């Protein structure tokens, strides 16, 4: 008979795989190091992400902060300069004010305090009495918005001289002794229900009348209309919409070189004599002749400066806030 079979001998357990052991040791005995520069970059990226992507719940409120200017007929050429966010409520409602003090009380909560405080103080600016006179005489309207939007109808007269050079007002001397740069053709705010042709004749009479005694002829086919939206140079911090009516004209009797004219009284026809006495008025106009290309270059520089100043200020505030937040996070982690 064959011998009885024996049960198979069990094999010894296999040793753990070297890679598994390495992973186990790494998990059990090592802690990840925090690299401070990497953490700084991560925190900064998160801050930029949140600052550039507002929560969806605030989408409706952020949309209301975009400029909402009343629509202008499409027949006019429109030149738009993007303004910082603003909220316009019922822009068709034009405000009237009994006194300059009432206007001042209405403006203060709707404008930046530092901007409003500079009216009539910063060289070349006007004060709240000027704005009140413009509104009361119908030259300017204010939309009931935050901030308010000033709308002005302006006639611009490009006086053509010899060799097709254009007469340009280089600067003005104001009643408070300051000087305001202009670098633009003859311009004048229009009266209520005044036609552009009547406004051209009145502008030449008021600002050039002391030296020009000849005929004024409007060049046929030179009439243009456009809209410009930007901050007002006369009233810092106040957004303005300028509806511009421009023509080319030939004015006989003007000097060939640079000259100066005097304006009698800017608000001479106003019934509010006491208010007009406190307003900043133009005393002298200084004129020169420039080529057309030089006029556009100077105007572009002035508009660029006016528009970039608020943006630079806002960018500086944002960077300061981000830097402070990142510094706070780093101090908390390191401690």
């Amino acid at each position: 008979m064959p011998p009885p079979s024996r049960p198979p001998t069990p094999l010894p357990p296999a040793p753990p795989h070297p890679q598994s052991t390495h992973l186990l040791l790494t998990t059990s005995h090592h802690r990840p190091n925090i690299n401070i520069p990497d953490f700084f970059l991560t925190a900064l990226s998160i801050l930029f992400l949140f600052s550039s992507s507002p929560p969806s719940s605030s989408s409706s409120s952020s949309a209301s902060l975009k400029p909402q200017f009343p629509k202008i007929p499409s027949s006019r050429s429109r030149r738009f300069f993007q303004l910082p966010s603003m909220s316009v409520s019922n822009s068709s409602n034009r405000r009237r004010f009994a006194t300059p003090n009432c206007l001042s009380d209405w403006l203060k909560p709707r404008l930046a305090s530092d901007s409003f405080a500079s009216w009539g103080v910063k060289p070349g600016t006007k004060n709240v009495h000027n704005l009140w006179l413009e509104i009361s005489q119908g030259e300017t309207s204010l939309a009931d918005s935050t901030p308010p939007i000033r709308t002005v109808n302006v006639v611009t007269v490009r006086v053509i001289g010899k060799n097709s050079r254009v007469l340009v007002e280089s600067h003005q001397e104001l009643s408070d002794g300051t000087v305001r740069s202009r670098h633009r053709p003859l311009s004048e705010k229009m009266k209520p229900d005044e036609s552009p042709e009547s406004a051209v004749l009145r502008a030449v009479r008021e600002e050039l009348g002391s030296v020009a005694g000849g005929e004024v002829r409007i060049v046929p086919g030179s009439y243009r209309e456009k809209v410009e939206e930007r901050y007002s140079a006369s009233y810092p911090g106040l957004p303005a919409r300028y509806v511009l009516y421009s023509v080319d004209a030939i004015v006989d009797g003007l000097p060939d070189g640079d000259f100066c004219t005097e304006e009698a009284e800017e608000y001479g026809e106003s019934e509010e004599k006491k208010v007009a006495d406190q307003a900043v008025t133009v005393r002298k106009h200084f004129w020169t002749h420039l080529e057309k290309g030089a006029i556009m270059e100077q105007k572009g520089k002035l508009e660029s400066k006016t528009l970039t100043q608020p943006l630079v200020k806002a960018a500086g505030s944002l960077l300061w806030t981000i830097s402070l937040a990142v510094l706070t996070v780093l101090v908390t982690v390191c401690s």
Side-chain angles (χ1 to χ4, degrees):
M1 293 181 62
S5 60
R6 296 181 181 180
T9 305
L11 297 176
H17 194 276
Q19 183 177 1
S20 302
T21 305
H22 175 70
L23 293 176
L24 180 61
L25 292 176
T26 302
T27 306
S28 304
H29 301 287
H30 293 274
R31 299 178 59 186
N33 294 325
I34 297 178
N35 192 318
I36 294 300
D38 291 344
F39 181 82
F40 177 87
L41 293 176
T42 302
L44 188 61
S45 300
I46 293 174
L47 286 173
F48 272 110
L49 179 62
F50 278 95
S51 62
S52 60
S53 302
S56 58
S57 59
S58 60
S59 59
S60 58
S61 60
S62 61
S64 65
L65 296 178
K66 296 181 179 179
Q68 300 292 332
F69 288 94
K71 293 184 178 179
I72 304 296
S74 57
S75 59
R76 296 170 177 163
S77 61
R78 182 180 180 87
R79 188 173 182 181
F80 180 77
F81 298 96
Q82 181 70 34
L83 299 175
S85 297
M86 62 186 68
S87 173
V88 179
S89 58
N90 193 16
S91 58
S92 61
N93 184 15
R94 308 299 179 179
R95 299 286 306 193
R96 293 283 179 174
F97 305 91
T99 65
N101 287 335
C102 294
L103 174 59
S104 177
D105 293 339
W106 185 82
L107 286 171
K108 284 179 180 179
R110 291 171 169 81
L111 293 174
S113 57
D114 55 342
S115 298
F116 184 69
S118 67
W119 289 18
V121 177
K122 182 180 178 181
T125 62
K126 297 182 178 181
N127 57 33
V128 70
H129 296 84
N130 291 90
L131 185 59
W132 186 85
L133 287 169
E134 292 178 10
I135 296 173
S136 63
Q137 294 178 4
E139 297 177 343
T140 290
S141 62
L142 281 183
D144 191 356
S145 57
T146 303
I149 300 175
R150 172 179 173 242
T151 299
V152 192
N153 291 347
V154 179
V155 65
T156 299
V157 188
R158 290 161 32 103
V159 179
I160 309 299
K162 291 183 178 181
N163 300 322
S164 298
R165 304 182 76 191
V166 180
L167 183 67
V168 173
E169 186 178 19
S170 60
H171 58 282
Q172 297 174 342
E173 182 181 311
L174 305 182
S175 59
D176 59 0
T178 61
V179 175
R180 179 168 66 165
S181 297
R182 297 287 284 173
H183 302 292
R184 65 187 65 180
L186 169 63
S187 302
E188 184 70 21
K189 293 185 293 293
M190 296 176 63
K191 302 291 185 181
D193 301 324
E194 185 178 31
S195 67
E197 292 77 10
S198 299
V200 167
L201 298 177
R202 180 174 60 83
V204 172
R205 182 181 69 250
E206 292 181 358
E207 299 194 8
L208 299 176
S210 59
V211 297
E215 184 181 0
V216 179
R217 302 187 301 277
I218 296 177
V219 177
S222 64
Y223 180 78
R224 298 289 185 273
E225 295 182 21
K226 69 177 179 179
V227 176
E228 291 184 359
E229 294 165 348
R230 62 178 184 267
Y231 280 106
S232 172
S234 299
Y235 308 103
L238 182 64
R241 177 189 293 104
Y242 298 93
V243 183
L244 303 177
Y245 304 86
S246 64
V247 298
D248 293 351
I250 299 174
V251 180
D252 295 333
L254 293 179
D256 294 335
D258 297 350
F259 62 95
C260 171
T261 58
E262 296 186 7
E263 189 165 338
E265 286 189 36
E266 189 174 354
Y267 301 106
E269 300 179 358
S270 174
E271 299 179 357
E272 301 291 340
K273 183 63 176 175
K274 292 183 179 180
V275 178
D277 290 341
Q278 301 180 63
V280 179
T281 58
V282 179
R283 293 289 174 83
K284 294 182 179 181
H285 305 268
F286 295 84
W287 305 93
T288 188
H289 295 83
L290 294 178
E291 301 291 341
K292 295 181 180 180
I295 297 174
M296 297 303 297
E297 181 180 356
Q298 290 184 353
K299 184 178 180 182
K301 290 180 180 179
L302 290 174
E303 291 171 349
S304 176
K305 181 179 179 182
T306 302
L307 292 171
T308 54
Q309 284 178 345
L311 298 179
V312 171
K313 184 177 180 181
S317 301
L318 177 61
L319 289 176
W320 170 254
T321 303
I322 292 174
S323 300
L324 184 61
V326 171
L327 182 61
T328 303
V329 172
L330 286 176
V331 170
T332 303
V333 172
C334 294
S335 60

